[in-house]
Structures are given as C-alpha cells and as structure tokens.
C-alpha cells in the first residue's frame, strides 16, 4: 500500500477511535451484540434485517418462533433442516411469506422474489455442506475451499451480491465481523469527515476495534445503536 494511503488509513482509524471514545461511553455500558444459537434464526435474521427496521424484523421472527412453539419445537435451536421443513410445511417460500405476514422483497422491485426465497436458498446451501450448527459452520469456515464455496453460493442468491447478509449471518452465529449497513457507514462517515463506501467503513471499524482491543461485533452493535438514535 502506498505511503499516503497508509497514512490516510491511520488517520481514519484515529478519528473513528476518537469518536467511539466520545460517543459510546464506558465499554461496560455498550449493548450486547446479536448472538443466536440456531442457524435457522441466524439465516432469518440476516436476510430479513437488511433494509428494514429492527423492530419490524423482531416481530417477523416472533411469528416464526410462535409457529414453531405451537408445534412443540424449540425455534431457538432450529438449523437449516428445520427451517427448510417449515418452509415446505407451508407449501413453499411464497406461502411461508404469507404465514409470516411478511412480503419483503430481495430488492426494491415488484418483480423481485420475496426474501423468503433467499432464506430457503441459504438454508439449502448450508444443508448441502452438512452445516447444521454453529460448530459445523466454524469447521466449514476453517477450510478455505468450503469457506469460498459457501460464500460464493450465498452471494449468488437473489439480491445478495453485496455480501452484507453473508457477513451478518456469520456475526449472528458468533463469528467476528462488521455489518457495514447504512447506520455503520453513516457513523464512520461522520467520524472521518467524508462519505465512505461500505467496504471502507468495514475496514476502518475493524481497525478501530483492534486499536480499542474490543470484539468487532461488540463495537459494531454499539456504533449501530448510537447512530440509530440520531435518526
């Protein structure tokens, strides 16, 4: 990396660290990041969360959990197999959307498939790699070939090319990362004094987390909460 770019990256990190110390308060007061036990809910939360308000996502996940509770199941432990079975029980992804009373699209077009179609594809992708639990996922991610296969398969799903939901899925399962959505990107842009792209925001906040000696997921969620409060 050229010297001037290295210096710019260092300055950006310094500014992000300074704003974090100013706005986030004592580390013990930071809100806890999302951590879900079952990969079924990890998939649902990751796909539904992008472009939608968190309160609305919580309500949709609540409807899913209520359906599974009625069946005598434990939705918090659902893996890809259980999620696929529930979608099939409804009659398919469109009918699953009806049952959840949610018809969010994979992108902003009436021609786009419902996000439930993406969710089914993601669950089938994981099932195809025998990934049913967080431990299975960690083992798969330790293999470069399997990591690349899962990531490329996820990014090939309808409307998922940016990789945002892939990163958030991994974070939901407990892996470190930054979900550079609108809130995160706006906060980092404020910190550095210019508009940054999501990839820049991710890199800057990861560097800031390392500088602050904090978990990236924890910093991500604290920043997101502060920025959300500024709307």
């Amino acid at each position: 990396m050229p010297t001037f770019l290295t210096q710019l990256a260092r300055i950006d990190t310094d500014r992000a660290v300074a704003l974090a110390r100013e706005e986030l308060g004592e580390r013990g007061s930071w809100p806890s990041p999302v951590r879900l036990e079952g990969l079924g809910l990890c998939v649902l939360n990751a796909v539904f969360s992008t472009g939608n308000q968190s309160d609305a996502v919580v309500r949709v996940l609540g409807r899913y959990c209520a359906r599974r509770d009625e069946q005598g199941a434990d939705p918090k432990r659902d893996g890809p197999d259980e999620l696929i079975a529930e979608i099939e029980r409804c009659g398919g992804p469109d009918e699953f959307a009806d049952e959840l009373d949610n018809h969010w699209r994979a992108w902003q077009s009436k021609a786009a498939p419902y996000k439930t179609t993406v969710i089914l594809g993601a669950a089938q992708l994981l099932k195809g790699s025998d990934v049913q639990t967080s431990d299975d996922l960690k083992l798969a991610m330790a293999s470069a070939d399997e990591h690349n296969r899962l990531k490329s398969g996820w990014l090939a799903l309808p409307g998922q090319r940016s990789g945002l939901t892939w990163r958030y899925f991994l974070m939901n399962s407990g892996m470190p990362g930054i979900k550079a959505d609108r809130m995160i990107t706006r906060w980092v842009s404020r910190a550095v004094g210019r508009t940054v792209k999501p990839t820049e925001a991710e890199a800057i906040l990861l560097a800031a987390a390392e500088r602050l000696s904090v978990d990236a997921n924890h910093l991500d969620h604290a920043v997101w909460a502060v920025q959300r409060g500024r709307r």
Side-chain angles (χ1 to χ4, degrees):
M1 180 183 291
T3 302
F4 78 92
L5 290 179
T6 302
Q7 292 173 341
L8 178 60
R10 187 178 301 116
I11 292 170
D12 286 343
T13 302
D14 289 344
R15 289 174 174 171
V17 167
L19 188 60
R21 287 172 172 158
E22 175 186 339
E23 291 191 346
L24 303 186
E26 294 296 326
R27 200 170 305 169
S29 68
W30 293 6
S32 298
V34 174
R35 173 69 170 90
L36 300 169
E37 181 180 354
L39 293 188
L41 285 180
C42 289
V43 171
L44 288 163
N45 190 53
V47 176
F48 278 140
S49 289
T50 54
N52 299 298
Q53 294 186 354
S54 59
D55 292 345
V57 175
V58 169
R59 288 194 293 271
V60 176
L61 297 186
R63 293 184 199 116
Y64 174 83
C65 290
R67 284 183 55 83
R68 297 289 288 138
D69 285 338
E70 289 174 358
Q71 297 163 16
D74 182 357
K76 293 180 181 178
R77 301 186 67 179
D78 279 357
D81 275 352
E82 290 78 15
L83 179 54
I84 292 168
E86 180 61 17
I87 294 172
E88 291 176 345
R89 189 177 296 113
C90 292
D94 288 1
E95 292 79 7
F96 185 51
D98 292 339
E99 291 295 333
L100 294 182
D101 192 20
N102 179 276
H103 298 89
W104 289 333
R105 303 277 181 175
W107 61 90
Q108 291 184 344
S109 169
K110 290 183 178 180
Y114 294 137
K115 286 194 172 189
T116 47
T117 296
V118 178
I119 287 165
L120 176 59
Q124 290 171 333
L125 175 68
L126 295 169
K127 178 182 175 67
S129 289
D130 293 324
V131 173
Q132 294 292 333
T133 67
S134 294
D135 286 342
D136 292 339
L137 181 60
K138 289 176 183 177
L139 187 62
M141 295 296 286
S143 162
D145 288 343
E146 195 60 24
H147 180 168
N148 291 335
R149 195 190 80 79
L150 285 170
K151 181 179 179 180
S152 61
W154 190 292
L155 268 57
L157 296 170
Q160 308 310 302
R161 185 172 55 186
S162 72
L164 186 62
T165 61
W166 165 249
R167 288 191 293 276
Y168 197 39
F169 164 70
L170 296 178
M171 291 167 65
N172 285 176
S173 74
M175 295 187 183
I178 298 293
K179 178 195 174 194
D181 61 7
R182 287 175 294 181
M183 295 298 174
I184 297 297
T185 303
R186 287 171 185 169
W187 187 91
V188 175
S189 295
R190 281 200 300 114
V192 303
R194 70 176 194 284
T195 301
V196 300
K197 297 178 180 179
T199 51
E200 293 179 276
E202 180 182 4
I204 292 167
L205 212 54
L206 282 171
E210 183 175 356
R211 182 84 61 84
L212 291 164
S213 299
V214 298
D215 179 78
N217 297 33
H218 205 175
L219 180 60
D220 171 280
H221 196 59
V223 164
W224 181 88
V226 165
Q227 186 62 32
R228 182 176 183 244
R230 292 176 58 88
R231 291 188 304 177

